[in-house]
Amino acid sequence: MPERRSRKDAVRNREAVLAAADALFSRRESPEDVTMADVAAAAGVGKGTLFRAFGDRAGLLRALYAARLASMREAVESGPPPLGPATPPRERVPALLDAVLCFKLDNRPLALALEGSGNGSPYRAEHYAWWHGLLRTVLEQIPGLAEPGFTAHALLAATRADLVEHLAGKECLSRQQLRAQLKEFSVRALSSASR
Amino acid sequence: MPERRSRKDAVRNREAVLAAADALFSRRESPEDVTMADVAAAAGVGKGTLFRAFGDRAGLLRALYAARLASMREAVESGPPPLGPATPPRERVPALLDAVLCFKLDNRPLALALEGSGNGSPYRAEHYAWWHGLLRTVLEQIPGLAEPGFTAHALLAATRADLVEHLAGKECLSRQQLRAQLKEFSVRALSSASR
DNA sequence: GACGATACGGACCGCCGGTCCGCTTGGCAA
DNA sequence: TTGCCAAGCGGACCGGCGGTCCGTATCGTC
């Protein structure tokens, strides 16, 4: 299985598209009005190339998301506390949620585009499965906490991109306030278990 | 301001559309493949009539949703415990969330369509504002519970239509399991406050 | 019965995600 | 260096959707 190599113009174009899309989603306010044609044009590439490289719109979004998420994934999987695996569960859960929140705040249009992409639910994306699996295993280490699977879903739901957008935009909460309130909530959701 | 009456063929058509849409969203599995043209055809009405009556797709969905929600609204605002206003806050919160959950389970395609309607976030819809306002005022009556506004959002987020869909569909949780887990979660989220 | 306001309906529009296919280019072998 | 062909390119094209427009039909009133 020799793992067929891509031609190098293909990888160059792939990078160009990724960079262009990254820039567009950062600049434009609403993710809705970044079209595939826009991205292709901004990357100096034909639409065919774009779709060949990423399959469809959701594929592009996922690739972008994954790229931006990479550093945090590493920090979570093998970094120092409070995010890394050496942290005691009761502290790590709020830290993880805080990280998710901050990530979504820093990547609002992209997160919005990905979660809101009409067709498939956000729950099928592999990055969600990763977050959920991780959070669940951490929750499982807290004695007396029933239903870690559901709890993980429910806690992550509090960081949904459109909710964050609503709170930060319409209700004018600052980053600090949001983080504090989410922390408060997550701690409370864990506090009664096996005290 | 004499509150201009509608012509009666107009109201008849409006009802027909509502009924047709109701049926379509119940029958078809994915809300995505119920188009406006489908609804118009099923109602025996032109597209122009449909759009005149409801403005746009989101308007139709909201109208449908509101109609189905009416009975529950009444039960919440002036019904008997555990949903009605006479219930003590600590019991009413889980009851309210359970009601939301059951409603979404009973109206999966519609809820999915409304929350997932690409353009505007679900948080701008007036029915969400109503749920949130209600839940917040109930939470405010629980002493020692900080940030009732955020808590209300976070708890409601655990009942998001696509999450419910995922849990009921992909993870194969039964109605009973879902309700039990949500109840467990909501109780825990309240439990530590001023015991 | 007549007449203005209101509503009807379906042809039509613009847009967007996604496909297709004739042309170009990279990479390998002779 | 040359020749060859698979891999890749790109933009014209397509199907379908939400939404609009306007000539026609209907309502309701005088």
Side-chain angles (χ1 to χ4, degrees):
Chain A
M1 239 133 287
E3 173 72 23
R4 337 235 327 126
R5 299 284 299 146
S6 300
R7 249 165 57 172
K8 76 180 166 198
D9 55 344
V11 314
R12 182 169 40 74
N13 278 330
R14 191 188 158 89
E15 308 263 322
V17 166
L18 230 33
D22 193 281
L24 279 183
F25 278 108
S26 297
R27 273 193 255 299
R28 298 271 233 288
E29 24 307 317
S30 171
E32 301 293 314
D33 49 52
V34 177
T35 72
M36 294 292 103
D38 287 342
V39 175
V45 143
K47 284 179 64 177
T49 304
L50 195 165
F51 281 97
R52 168 175 291 271
F54 296 97
D56 58 7
R57 184 182 170 88
L60 172 59
L61 295 175
R62 267 183 271 121
L64 248 183
Y65 204 79
R68 294 203 192 175
L69 206 54
S71 66
M72 204 162 76
R73 251 168 115 133
E74 194 178 353
V76 166
E77 278 174 342
S78 59
L83 237 46
T87 320
R90 275 182 193 282
E91 290 165 38
R92 202 177 177 205
V93 169
L96 290 171
L97 289 170
D98 187 57
V100 177
L101 175 62
C102 286
F103 181 78
K104 296 205 183 172
L105 281 169
D106 291 337
N107 299 277
R108 278 208 266 174
L110 182 56
L112 224 39
L114 189 55
E115 293 187 19
S117 81
N119 41 10
S121 84
Y123 293 97
R124 287 183 162 185
E126 72 89 28
H127 66 88
Y128 183 84
W130 179 75
W131 277 119
H132 179 260
L134 175 69
L135 194 57
R136 196 191 61 230
T137 63
V138 177
L139 288 170
E140 278 165 357
Q141 296 164 25
I142 299 180
L145 196 151
E147 311 297 357
F150 182 85
T151 305
H153 281 304
L155 288 174
L156 284 173
T159 70
R160 286 286 291 256
D162 49 7
L163 176 55
V164 169
E165 180 69 21
H166 176 75
L167 294 174
K170 191 98 187 259
E171 296 194 4
C172 294
L173 290 181
S174 72
R175 188 186 183 89
Q176 298 308 330
Q177 290 174 300
L178 256 175
R179 294 178 64 188
Q181 297 189 14
L182 178 62
K183 172 160 192 174
E184 157 87 19
F185 180 76
S186 61
V187 167
R188 204 182 325 125
L190 268 44
S191 63
S192 74
S194 173
R195 194 94 61 89
Chain B
M1 236 133 287
E3 176 70 24
R4 319 186 43 79
R5 300 285 297 147
S6 298
R7 248 166 58 172
K8 78 179 167 194
D9 54 347
V11 313
R12 182 169 40 76
N13 279 330
R14 191 188 159 89
E15 307 263 323
V17 166
L18 230 34
D22 193 281
L24 279 184
F25 278 108
S26 297
R27 271 192 257 299
R28 296 273 231 290
E29 28 304 319
S30 170
E32 300 293 315
D33 48 53
V34 176
T35 72
M36 294 290 103
D38 287 342
V39 174
V45 142
K47 285 179 63 177
T49 304
L50 196 166
F51 281 97
R52 168 176 290 272
F54 296 97
D56 59 7
R57 183 181 170 89
L60 171 60
L61 294 175
R62 266 183 272 121
L64 248 183
Y65 204 79
R68 294 205 192 173
L69 206 54
S71 67
M72 202 162 75
R73 249 170 118 131
E74 193 177 354
V76 166
E77 278 173 343
S78 58
L83 237 47
T87 321
R90 274 180 192 283
E91 290 166 37
R92 201 178 178 202
V93 169
L96 289 171
L97 288 171
D98 186 57
V100 177
L101 174 62
C102 287
F103 181 79
K104 295 205 181 171
L105 281 169
D106 292 335
N107 298 277
R108 279 210 267 175
L110 181 56
L112 224 40
L114 187 56
E115 293 187 18
S117 80
N119 42 10
S121 84
Y123 294 97
R124 286 185 164 184
E126 73 88 29
H127 67 88
Y128 184 84
W130 179 75
W131 277 117
H132 179 260
L134 174 69
L135 194 56
R136 195 191 62 230
T137 63
V138 178
L139 288 169
E140 277 166 358
Q141 296 164 23
I142 299 180
L145 197 151
E147 312 297 357
F150 181 86
T151 304
H153 281 303
L155 289 174
L156 285 174
T159 69
R160 286 285 291 255
D162 48 7
L163 176 55
V164 169
E165 180 70 19
H166 176 75
L167 294 174
K170 191 95 186 258
E171 296 195 3
C172 296
L173 290 182
S174 72
R175 188 187 184 88
Q176 298 307 331
Q177 289 175 301
L178 256 176
R179 293 177 65 187
Q181 298 190 14
L182 178 62
K183 172 159 190 171
E184 157 87 19
F185 180 76
S186 62
V187 167
R188 204 180 327 123
L190 268 44
S191 63
S192 76
S194 175
R195 198 102 55 97

